[in-house]
Amino acid sequence: MLYENLSTKIIALKNADIALREKLVQNGKLFDGYHESMKALHNKNAKALAVIIEKIGYPTVDKVGKEANEAAWLIIQHAIEQPKFMKKCAQLLEIAVNENNASPINLAYLIDRIAVFEDRPQLYGTQFDWDENGELSPNLFYHWDKVNERRISIGLNTLEEQTEIIRQNAKKENQFPPFDFEKRKEEIDEWKKRVGWKK
């Protein structure tokens, strides 16, 4: 590991994210829109990680170790109000994956998340949201007959298996579908435009 101090810092950023999420879950406040404290922490973490990336490039396994590499991905995945940062990181992560210095699964999640925010079909079916029937289902994706092939090729389970896991986890965390599905869709669309995912 080349950057032990930065590795420790990245892991601390991730731990703060997880601790706040757990606190909001316990208080029943996480799933009612994008909580202000969560938003503030995600943006703060993204800013801190961006500074690190400017110094050392993408935090690959050889630079910061496996735990900090995974932590960096989580911070990027949660930087949802930073489109330019997320897209830049996706490009850097792709290079790292091609050099066997990062996880292809992490890249799949990141490119899917960006696609969903840009209203494009995802490739791997990693991103879920509430549907009109009040069920958590995968966001739009390319080719039902190919998605499991793509998932399995990088070490993911099938989409059917993942859907069951996502729905079970939602029940454990007391997540509920939105009261007004159409209103929520409109609010998400407005948010995408406001932060720069859509024009």
Side-chain angles (χ1 to χ4, degrees):
M1 187 191 310
L2 298 174
Y3 300 100
E4 194 164 346
N5 288 345
L6 293 178
S7 173
T8 302
K9 183 172 182 180
I10 293 167
I11 292 166
L13 296 174
K14 178 209 70 171
N15 288 342
D17 183 318
I18 290 171
L20 179 57
R21 185 187 190 280
E22 185 58 32
K23 181 182 173 185
L24 292 173
V25 168
Q26 295 298 325
N27 295 338
K29 294 181 178 177
L30 183 65
F31 306 109
D32 185 20
Y34 193 14
H35 196 278
E36 284 299 321
S37 61
M38 193 93 257
K39 182 195 300 187
L41 183 64
H42 286 165
N43 286 327
K44 179 183 171 188
N45 281 357
K47 188 174 180 183
L49 185 61
V51 171
I52 291 171
I53 290 172
E54 283 299 314
K55 285 181 185 173
I56 68 167
Y58 193 86
T60 50
V61 174
D62 62 339
K63 290 176 185 173
V64 297
K66 188 168 181 2
E67 185 181 359
N69 170 258
E70 292 282 336
W73 164 77
L74 186 77
I75 293 161
I76 296 160
Q77 191 78 353
H78 289 174
I80 62 175
E81 293 204 334
Q82 311 291 332
K84 288 180 182 174
F85 176 66
M86 282 184 81
K87 287 189 265 192
K88 174 186 174 183
C89 288
Q91 292 172 342
L92 296 174
L93 178 54
E94 185 172 10
I95 294 167
V97 167
N98 289 337
E99 295 172 348
N100 293 317
N101 245 322
S103 164
I105 291 175
N106 290 350
L107 178 61
Y109 271 83
L110 185 55
I111 62 175
D112 272 3
R113 177 159 280 203
I114 290 168
V116 167
F117 285 150
E118 293 182 336
D119 289 341
R120 294 184 288 108
Q122 51 181 336
L123 282 173
Y124 297 92
T126 64
Q127 305 299 295
F128 284 67
D129 203 353
W130 297 104
D131 64 21
E132 299 92 330
N133 301 315
E135 293 276 12
L136 276 168
S137 297
N139 291 89
L140 181 67
F141 56 86
Y142 283 114
H143 307 302
W144 179 265
D145 57 332
K146 298 281 187 187
V147 69
N148 279 334
E149 198 176 298
R150 285 193 289 268
R151 289 176 67 88
I152 290 164
S153 75
I154 60 167
L156 287 168
N157 57 4
T158 68
L159 193 53
E160 294 83 357
E161 290 167 334
Q162 186 63 15
T163 299
E164 184 59 28
I165 291 167
I166 292 281
R167 290 176 178 174
Q168 288 299 324
N169 286 343
K171 285 178 184 173
K172 285 180 195 169
E173 293 183 338
N174 294 317
Q175 295 185 45
F176 298 101
F179 179 73
D180 188 332
F181 179 76
E182 289 303 323
K183 183 182 177 188
R184 182 169 178 273
K185 269 176 64 178
E186 287 173 14
E187 288 172 349
I188 290 172
D189 203 53
E190 287 169 8
W191 171 83
K192 287 177 180 177
K193 289 174 183 171
R194 187 170 70 253
V195 302
W197 287 111
K198 290 176 66 178
K199 292 183 180 178

